[in-house]
Amino acid sequence: MLARSALQKTAPRAFSTARPLAEAPKILLEDKDNGFGFIRHNPRPAKPRTAGVTEIRGPYYSAMGPNYLSDVLKTMGHHVDGLKFAGGSFSLFPEAALRELIELAHAHGVYVSTGGWMEHVLTQSDAGAAVDRYLQKCKDVGFDVIEVSTGFLSLPQPDWLRLVDRVHQFGMKAKPELGIQFGAGGDTEASDLESMGSSDPSKVINMGKKFIDAGVERLMIESEGITENVKSWRTDVIQGILKELPMEKVMFEAADPKVFNWYIREFGVDVNLFVDHSQIVQLSCLRQGIWGMADTFGKITTYRPS
């Protein structure tokens, strides 16, 4: 186990991008001279972004190799801020292949995050040693962000804060995942989740404030129980969260077009969203205001004079 003093000497990487790009690519929509820049659109700030951040899901429902990821990032890399390996999917890779994917993301200014595998690590017989070994290996292979979720575990709040502190000591960024539904984050049937009941939204808000005070840059809000596996969306929970927590500190899971369409419509282009990698084009068109559904087409705008 590494000593605390040794760990604190390592400066954490920037959250919104793993390393600065030598030259940001110019997309046709922002090329006024030779492209489509003459067409009305919402300009996207250059990376690293602190608002309107988009994180995409990596391998989980389908495999993702370097050729596929390269295609995604060569074409849509300007619009992707982060890549998240769901659950412990990255542990199934040969190390060389995992490093190749992470380095490819970094080359496009995309940070790389683990999924919520910390929950599994915490069930080991010696959780303290297991957490340190897990974090050290994640750092070694190049992860920037460690997701710390407890959707399947009952964990005291002080312990959760200690985990966040430990991630930061290893020089990586902690991204806690918060939600109102116990058992969220897997493939549990909606009826089973409903039978477990849900938490009071104030629990998410209070814990979110503590994480922000602990130096957490961004929180992930789990969709299950709010917009996923529910009979009707709990928009009251979303509004309550954004009433008490700064929007730039929150990212919402929204891997359904109707869901991210609603978020953009309600909160504008600066809302931070996590979507599946297959949805990056649709979401980016919506953010830029060049396409949309019946309730958003031609209606997503910004006012940011030069």
Side-chain angles (χ1 to χ4, degrees), residues 117-128:
W117 208 38
M118 181 66 79
E119 292 170 283
H120 184 58
V121 177
L122 288 171
T123 64
Q124 310 308 301
S125 58
D126 186 349

Side-chain angles (χ1 to χ4, degrees), residues 201-275:
S202 63
K203 178 181 177 182
V204 172
I205 295 168
N206 292 336
M207 199 64 209
K209 290 178 178 178
K210 291 180 180 180
F211 282 134
I212 291 171
D213 289 343
V216 166
E217 189 168 330
R218 195 166 300 128
L219 311 163
M220 179 75 82
I221 304 299
E222 169 65 58
S223 63
E224 287 182 276
I226 300 178
T227 58
E228 182 182 355
N229 285 343
V230 288
K231 293 178 180 177
S232 60
W233 292 358
R234 292 290 310 275
T235 57
D236 60 309
V237 175
I238 300 165
Q239 297 287 358
I241 290 170
L242 291 181
K243 181 181 178 181
E244 299 291 337
L245 302 178
M247 191 165 74
E248 67 271 15
K249 295 289 188 180
V250 178
M251 174 174 281
F252 293 96
E253 183 179 8
D256 181 307
K258 290 182 179 179
V259 175
F260 62 67
N261 183 80
W262 180 86
Y263 274 111
I264 297 291
R265 189 192 74 195
E266 290 296 307
F267 303 111
V269 300
D270 288 336
V271 64
N272 302 318
L273 296 172
F274 169 67
V275 300

Side-chain angles (χ1 to χ4, degrees), residues 75-95:
T75 55
M76 296 297 294
H78 173 70
H79 311 278
V80 178
D81 299 281
L83 173 70
K84 169 182 166 178
F85 285 80
S89 60
F90 52 89
S91 69
L92 305 177
F93 281 60
E95 184 170 329

Side-chain angles (χ1 to χ4, degrees), residues 182-197:
F182 191 81
D187 295 318
T188 311
E189 293 291 335
S191 57
D192 294 331
L193 290 175
E194 187 176 7
S195 67
M196 296 181 200

